[in-house]
Amino acid sequence: MRQDSQSTRPEEGLSPWRIAVLVSAAIAISYLDRQTLPVAVAAIAKEIPLSNQQFSALQSTFLFAYAFMYAGGGKLVDVLGTRRGFTVIMIFWSLACASHALATTFAMLAASRFLLGMGEGGGFPAATRVVAEWFSPAQRATAMGIINAGSAIGAIIAPPSIAVILSYLGWRWIFIYAGILGLLWTVWWWFSYVSPAEEVASCNDNQQIRTTARLSVPQGLRWIDLLRIRESWGLVGAKFLSDGAWYFYLFWLPKYLYDARGFNVKGVGAFAWIPYAAAGIGCLSGGWFSSELVRRHVSVDVARKLAMGLSAALMPFVMFIPYVPVSWAILIFSLAYFGQQSWSTLVMVLPTDLFPARVVGSVAGLIGCGGAMGGIALGEIVGYLLDHGFGYAIVFRIAGSLHLIAFLLIQLAIPTISPLSFEQKLTYEGVR
């Protein structure tokens, strides 16, 4: 395991921080792909009419597949290894994204959305495993912040780039270009990434001993075993709540601007990127702040929870969005996106603080599955409320409260953030 962030492979010069940037690019493509439908929905609806509940159903179809393949993708990466697993995942989701261009009916859109969710489900578990493989506890929050910033970059690129494509070509080309971009990244990844495990021969004896100890974990561990651990449930539940709000912001912001604020495609392209820029700053700030506290000899428990608590405290401001001018609404969205992605960075680094590296992909997969299920639940509620005349105000009140509840859940389920005594923990919870 690399503990020195400055060490590089002489033959390729690829440092851990460059690996973080490489993975961040994959996450950027992921968020570009999933934003294609929400941003282009007005153009798509001219050929394939969509109600609010149908739009919600498309997002739920994506998230349903995403939820289960988030867990399955994490297991896949643990079995195949990071390099091969991420390659398979990216190829699948790139082709699934391109398949949207063939849709002529709602059902065909739903099928493509389902396939995209299947593919993208393995992205963050693979990214979390990269962090566990390459970075020390003091570096992980910063590394995850860099990787998670890719979500903001992809979402920033999506509105203006889609608006440009729609100005010159049909909406189907959006999905074709996004698919090609993912395949190009796959080539870059395949020829760039090497797992530290593949370099054991070049390590000295002490490094090899550290690597072996780091990856020690009971053999034959199943998902059900992980779910018998209280900390796992705490993370899954917190992600269910907070990602419910996040997927509402992610999928419904363009539609909110279309429906409630009278924006057109060019208007969305001009302004919808701003909250995502704030999200990118949040990714980096939350990760940096927590890592800086650890470097200053603050305990990992205090460093993570302080940063998470401050992030969650920003989220209730979204309740004011329906009552303020559009410029203030964009500002509040930006504040919420900043807080959400700072929060998300920290939640996704917690498995690396608590669990052995060898099962981090599986744990991250279960957590992401919970998050996607939260997105489905709130998305269906939003579609129903809007189509039955309740308006956006009640939706923002619900979304604005979820992160605070999630933070309370983490406090209760994980009293102290520190590496679990894994074999003792399993025995205590009744796993044999």
Side-chain angles (χ1 to χ4, degrees):
M1 177 66 61
R2 296 289 183 88
Q3 299 296 324
D4 181 4
S5 66
Q6 302 301 317
S7 59
T8 59
R9 291 199 301 276
E11 69 274 18
E12 297 185 37
L14 190 64
S15 73
W17 298 111
R18 290 180 183 176
I19 291 171
V21 171
L22 172 62
V23 178
S24 181
I27 301 303
I29 294 169
S30 169
Y31 269 71
L32 172 64
D33 290 352
R34 69 182 70 179
Q35 280 292 94
T36 47
L37 179 66
V39 176
V41 65
I44 295 171
K46 294 177 181 178
E47 294 185 35
I48 308 173
L50 298 171
S51 68
N52 283 318
Q53 284 188 286
Q54 284 178 314
F55 179 75
S56 179
L58 288 175
Q59 307 312 335
S60 295
T61 298
F62 169 87
L63 289 172
F64 183 80
Y66 186 76
F68 287 98
M69 287 309 297
Y70 209 122
K75 190 69 173 179
L76 177 69
V77 173
D78 283 342
V79 171
L80 294 182
T82 309
R83 182 167 175 257
R84 285 184 296 171
F86 216 153
T87 299
V88 171
I89 288 164
M90 179 62 94
I91 290 173
F92 187 95
W93 102 44
S94 298
L95 295 176
C97 183
S99 74
H100 287 70
L102 303 175
T104 57
T105 65
F106 170 78
M108 293 179 71
L109 276 178
S112 292
R113 214 67 187 158
F114 183 86
L115 293 174
L116 181 63
M118 286 183 63
E120 289 201 8
F124 269 106
T128 305
R129 185 178 167 100
V130 170
V131 171
E133 286 180 345
W134 281 95
F135 295 93
S136 68
Q139 300 166 339
R140 286 177 193 150
T142 300
M144 186 60 76
I146 293 172
I147 290 171
N148 202 27
S151 62
I153 293 170
I156 290 170
I157 292 170
S161 62
I162 290 172
V164 170
I165 293 173
L166 286 174
S167 298
Y168 296 97
L169 300 169
W171 61 266
R172 300 178 190 279
W173 285 98
I174 296 167
F175 298 98
I176 294 172
Y177 283 132
I180 291 172
L181 188 61
L183 294 176
L184 291 175
W185 181 90
T186 305
V187 176
W188 181 24
W189 166 263
W190 183 256
F191 289 103
S192 297
Y193 186 80
V194 176
S195 170
E198 298 175 27
E199 297 185 324
V200 169
S202 66
C203 296
N204 61 39
D205 290 341
N206 290 334
Q207 289 173 314
Q208 189 166 346
I209 291 171
R210 284 198 300 271
T211 300
T212 302
R214 170 76 178 151
L215 297 179
S216 177
V217 65
Q219 295 292 329
L221 197 64
R222 302 164 299 171
W223 282 323
I224 191 64
D225 298 333
L226 294 171
L227 288 175
R228 289 174 180 171
I229 298 173
R230 181 185 62 190
E231 288 81 356
S232 297
W233 276 110
L235 292 172
V236 171
K239 194 71 168 168
F240 176 91
L241 293 167
S242 61
D243 270 15
W246 171 236
Y247 285 119
F248 163 66
Y249 303 140
L250 182 66
F251 292 143
W252 288 85
L253 172 59
K255 203 166 191 311
Y256 172 74
L257 295 177
Y258 289 135
D259 295 347
R261 300 291 184 164
F263 277 51
N264 57 23
V265 171
K266 289 184 179 180
V268 170
F271 292 100
W273 64 271
I274 296 173
Y276 296 107
I281 298 171
C283 293
L284 298 173
S285 299
W288 171 84
F289 179 63
S290 179
S291 290
E292 184 64 21
L293 289 177
V294 174
R295 282 191 290 270
R296 292 176 180 270
H297 306 293
V298 175
S299 70
V300 171
D301 178 64
V302 172
R304 302 288 193 250
K305 288 182 177 177
L306 178 59
M308 291 175 69
L310 292 173
S311 301
L314 297 176
M315 305 309 294
F317 287 100
V318 300
M319 299 181 189
F320 296 105
I321 286 176
Y323 310 107
V324 299
V326 67
S327 58
W328 281 95
I330 295 294
L331 177 62
I332 295 173
F333 268 122
S334 299
L335 184 67
Y337 277 50
F338 175 95
Q340 151 61 32
Q341 288 303 82
S342 173
W343 164 275
S344 180
T345 294
L346 295 159
V347 169
M348 290 310 297
V349 83
L350 290 186
T352 70
D353 294 325
L354 294 166
F355 293 90
R358 191 166 156 191
V359 296
V360 160
S362 296
V363 175
L366 291 171
I367 295 168
C369 177
M373 295 303 292
I376 292 172
L378 187 59
E380 291 297 320
I381 292 171
V382 169
Y384 177 86
L385 291 174
L386 294 179
D387 274 349
H388 287 77
F390 287 90
Y392 279 97
I394 188 172
V395 174
F396 282 113
R397 284 197 290 270
I398 294 170
S401 64
L402 294 178
H403 283 75
L404 295 179
I405 301 172
F407 181 64
L408 177 61
L409 178 60
I410 284 181
Q411 292 280 58
L412 294 173
I414 312 175
T416 303
I417 299 172
S418 62
L420 299 177
S421 178
F422 210 71
E423 303 230 19
Q424 181 179 1
K425 188 75 177 177
L426 292 174
T427 302
Y428 174 78
E429 301 292 349
V431 180
R432 296 291 183 267

